[in-house]
């Protein structure tokens, strides 16, 4: 009996797996503390990103739309360096108001030098010196506003080209903020001669009247190439208020402004070599 019990116990012991026989029971691996903490953190981050994107899909769409808009504007600026703009936002607004558009494009060589000089003297005296924005004029406007004094606007000719082609007429801080980068991009991509050529062909000189050629023929019955100095000054000083001033029949205020601009012509001529002697 004892021998049998001894044999049974030995057989049971031999049946148990041991490390010596190579049949040891594998023990489950216990994950380390760093593994257990890293996994939830990465999952939480990915969930946070996904949830933010799901909560604000419109922000992504707005960003994409802005990128596309910037690309379209830059591409059009490159195109308009060589191709004349077919229409501007100001013209569209005039058309919607029921005005009949009058316009005739001419190259800058067919615009009187008197007109080129007069518009710089009237609108942007530092045209050939700045890179799109005249910050000295901006500071003067700010100082005048601080002292409650009247002051002329600080919009340069490149800023007005940008406004006429891409923006709107009524004044706002948003429009001014958009004019600045557009003016810098415009001057970077276009030579100053092209900037002035486009401006003189898209500027508004009266209700539905755009471009110096159409204005010259309407008011003085002659092409823009034949304008005299006085006629050019009267046309240039019409630009700030094209729906009020008539260069063919200037009122007293218009004549006073034109006389002031005409006196500045010799001084401005020394600073306008980029368009008078390109």
């Amino acid at each position: 009996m004892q021998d049998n019990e001894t044999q049974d116990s030995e057989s049971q012991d031999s049946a148990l797996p041991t490390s010596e026989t190579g049949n040891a029971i594998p023990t489950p691996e216990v994950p380390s503390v760093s593994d257990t903490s890293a996994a939830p953190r990465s999952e939480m981050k990915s969930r946070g990103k996904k949830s933010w994107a799901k909560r604000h899909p419109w922000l992504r769409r707005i960003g994409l739309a802005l990128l596309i808009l910037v690309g379209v504007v830059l591409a059009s600026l490159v195109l308009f360096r060589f191709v004349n703009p077919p229409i501007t936002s100001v013209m569209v607004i005039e058309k919607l108001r029921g005005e009949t558009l009058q316009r005739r494009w001419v190259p800058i060589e067919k615009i009187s030098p008197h007109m080129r000089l007069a518009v710089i003297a009237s609108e942007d005296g530092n045209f050939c010196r700045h890179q799109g924005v005249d910050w000295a004029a901006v500071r003067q406007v700010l100082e005048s506003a601080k002292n409650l004094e009247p002051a002329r606007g600080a919009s340069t000719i490149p800023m007005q080209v940008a406004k006429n082609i891409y923006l709107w007429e009524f004044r706002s801080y948003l429009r001014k903020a958009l004019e600045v980068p557009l003016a810098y991009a415009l001057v970077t991509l276009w030579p100053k001669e092209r900037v002035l050529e486009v401006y003189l062909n898209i500027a508004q000189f009266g209700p539905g009247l755009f471009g110096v050629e159409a204005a010259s023929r309407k008011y003085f019955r002659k092409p823009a190439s034949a304008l005299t100095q006085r006629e050019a000054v009267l046309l240039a000083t019409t630009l700030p208020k094209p729906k009020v001033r008539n260069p063919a029949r200037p009122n007293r205020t218009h004549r006073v402004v034109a006389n002031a601009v005409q006196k500045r012509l010799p001084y401005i001529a020394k600073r306008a070599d980029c368009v008078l002697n390109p």
Side-chain angles (χ1 to χ4, degrees), residues 40-140:
R41 286 177 185 172
S42 61
E43 290 179 3
M44 289 176 64
K45 288 182 180 178
S46 62
R47 287 176 184 173
K49 291 180 181 178
K50 290 180 181 178
S51 61
W52 186 90
K54 289 179 180 179
R55 286 199 307 268
H56 308 286
W58 54 273
L59 285 177
R60 188 176 178 181
R61 295 192 190 103
I62 291 175
L64 182 60
L66 288 175
L67 284 176
I68 293 173
L69 180 62
V70 170
V72 170
V73 170
L74 289 177
S76 66
L77 282 174
V78 173
L79 178 65
F80 293 154
R81 162 69 177 85
F82 307 100
V83 179
N84 299 330
I87 199 166
T88 69
S89 62
V90 177
M91 293 178 190
V92 171
I93 293 171
E94 283 289 286
K95 190 70 176 176
L96 292 175
R97 288 172 177 167
E99 296 288 348
T100 300
L101 301 184
Q102 302 176 58
R103 181 189 181 194
R104 183 182 297 186
W105 191 286
V106 290
I108 195 167
E109 295 82 9
K110 293 187 177 180
I111 299 175
S112 167
H114 293 306
M115 187 64 203
R116 298 181 227 167
L117 181 60
V119 77
I120 291 175
S122 177
E123 297 289 295
D124 188 359
N126 292 319
F127 175 71
C128 290
R129 299 191 174 188
H130 62 67
Q131 296 302 312
V133 179
D134 188 353
W135 291 109
V138 172
R139 285 192 291 270
Q140 290 179 3

Side-chain angles (χ1 to χ4, degrees), residues 1 19 22 25 80 87 89 102 107 112 114-115 144 168 173 179 184 216 236 251 255:
M1 293 291 293
S19 59
I25 297 175
F80 293 154
I87 199 166
S89 62
Q102 302 176 58
S112 167
H114 293 306
M115 187 64 203
S144 299
W168 53 90
Y173 290 113
E179 283 179 10
Y184 277 123
S216 179
N251 57 27
R255 288 196 301 270

Side-chain angles (χ1 to χ4, degrees), residues 197-217:
E197 178 184 46
V198 173
Y199 179 63
L200 287 173
N201 278 283
I202 66 173
Q204 186 173 11
F205 288 88
L209 185 64
F210 293 90
V212 66
E213 181 72 12
S216 179
R217 290 181 180 275

Side-chain angles (χ1 to χ4, degrees), residues 113 116 128 193 269-278:
R116 298 181 227 167
C128 290
E193 187 180 11
K270 300 175 183 178
R271 306 155 60 100
D273 55 310
C274 67
V275 291
L276 295 182
N277 303 300

